[in-house]
Amino acid sequence: GAVVSQHPSRVICKSGTSVKIECRSLDFQATTMFWYRQFPKQSLMLMATSNEGSKATYEQGVEKDKFLINHASLTLSTLTVTSAHPEDSSFYICSARLPQPRFPYSGNTIYFGEGSWLTVV
Amino acid sequence: GENVEQHPSTLSVQEGDSAVIKCTYSDSASNYFPWYKQELGKRPQLIIDIRSNVGEKKDQRIAVTLNKTAKHFSLHITETQPEDSAVYFCAAPRGGSGGSNYKLTFGKGTLLTVNP
């Protein structure tokens, strides 16, 4: 399948600091990327939609000033968790949409990055 | 918005048996339904998807069926193997699948355990 790469895979930061997570589409251009958050043993919750060249759109209840998203190119979106607190500790996963069909999938397929484990101490 | 319900939350089968996971959705405009497999601590992997212009799709041991009238779709895994053990998520897009509506709403997941 299409490759989406996310970095770092694990990060530990101190309370009050900021941490940046990168999401790259390696073999296709992604005009739209998505950022999800997943707590242990729970489902994926969409945080925001990252649109290349424009502002991200955030889901209800997600603070845009806390979770800064930048989608400066067709292959890179970044999520910055600002002034991190222990309750921000979670698994953050990005995904990107592949617009063209790629066998055996039907097109407009969403592929996920490896995910980033954030621990705020 | 889209509401996706997934059942069961846990499923335990013997190796070689079949496993079926079911999902319902609320938005009748939805026309794309992917299934993801997630192993512990790893990314969700797309395993199969289906569009609403077909009722069934199969890829080796995995199949997905769709009933648009009833607004439900199911994942079928035959001849299960221990390596099939994982959490499986169904998903559906909000407001169909065109335009900016590629935002997926996920079911709560099914923990499948295949016992050797």
Side-chain angles (χ1 to χ4, degrees):
Chain A
V3 180
V4 177
S5 178
Q6 192 171 337
H7 178 81
S9 58
R10 291 183 180 275
V11 58
I12 300 173
C13 71
K14 293 184 177 180
S15 288
T17 63
S18 296
V19 61
K20 180 186 287 187
I21 302 170
E22 294 186 346
C23 180
R24 294 180 184 275
S25 56
L26 298 185
D27 59 350
F28 66 101
Q29 293 183 331
T31 55
T32 306
M33 292 185 174
F34 304 91
W35 287 94
Y36 288 84
R37 184 173 182 176
Q38 187 177 33
F39 290 106
K41 298 186 179 181
Q42 293 191 22
S43 190
L44 298 103
M45 299 302 297
L46 180 65
M47 298 174 64
T49 303
S50 174
N51 304 295
E52 188 270 335
S54 64
K55 291 183 178 180
T57 55
Y58 290 81
E59 296 300 301
Q60 191 173 10
V62 178
E63 299 176 58
K64 63 179 181 179
D65 293 330
K66 180 167 184 63
F67 299 100
L68 299 179
I69 291 173
N70 185 281
H71 194 154
S73 77
L74 286 171
T75 60
L76 174 64
S77 175
T78 60
L79 168 69
T80 301
V81 182
T82 64
S83 187
H85 291 282
E87 55 264 33
D88 297 326
S89 300
S90 187
F91 189 50
Y92 292 88
I93 318 177
C94 71
S95 65
R97 178 176 70 88
L98 178 66
Q100 302 83 17
R102 186 177 292 187
F103 183 82
Y105 304 118
S106 307
N108 294 314
T109 306
I110 305 295
Y111 291 94
F112 284 87
E114 301 96 325
S116 299
W117 288 97
L118 170 62
T119 302
V120 184
V121 297
Chain B
E2 179 73 276
N3 184 39
V4 178
E5 299 284 341
Q6 182 172 347
H7 299 279
S9 57
T10 61
L11 178 60
S12 182
V13 300
Q14 289 299 121
E15 183 176 0
D17 288 350
S18 295
V20 180
I21 303 170
K22 299 181 180 182
C23 285
T24 60
Y25 61 98
S26 60
D27 190 340
S28 57
S30 292
N31 59 6
Y32 173 68
F33 307 94
W35 283 91
Y36 289 86
K37 173 184 180 182
Q38 187 179 29
E39 297 177 8
L40 187 62
K42 297 188 177 181
R43 79 176 92 193
Q45 294 271 16
L46 178 67
I47 56 173
I48 196 166
D49 61 5
I50 191 169
R51 292 202 172 272
S52 58
N53 57 345
V54 297
E56 183 175 358
K57 182 177 178 181
K58 189 174 182 180
D59 183 7
Q60 299 181 351
R61 297 187 297 109
I62 296 173
V64 56
T65 58
L66 171 66
N67 183 327
K68 276 192 67 72
T69 302
K71 289 190 283 188
H72 67 70
F73 57 111
S74 300
L75 177 70
H76 304 253
I77 305 174
T78 58
E79 300 173 33
T80 54
Q81 301 167 4
E83 51 265 38
D84 294 330
S85 297
V87 178
Y88 291 81
F89 292 99
C90 63
R94 302 179 194 176
S97 67
S100 62
N101 292 318
Y102 299 106
K103 301 178 183 182
L104 293 177
T105 298
F106 285 83
K108 293 190 182 298
T110 297
L111 174 61
L112 173 65
T113 303
V114 180
N115 302 299

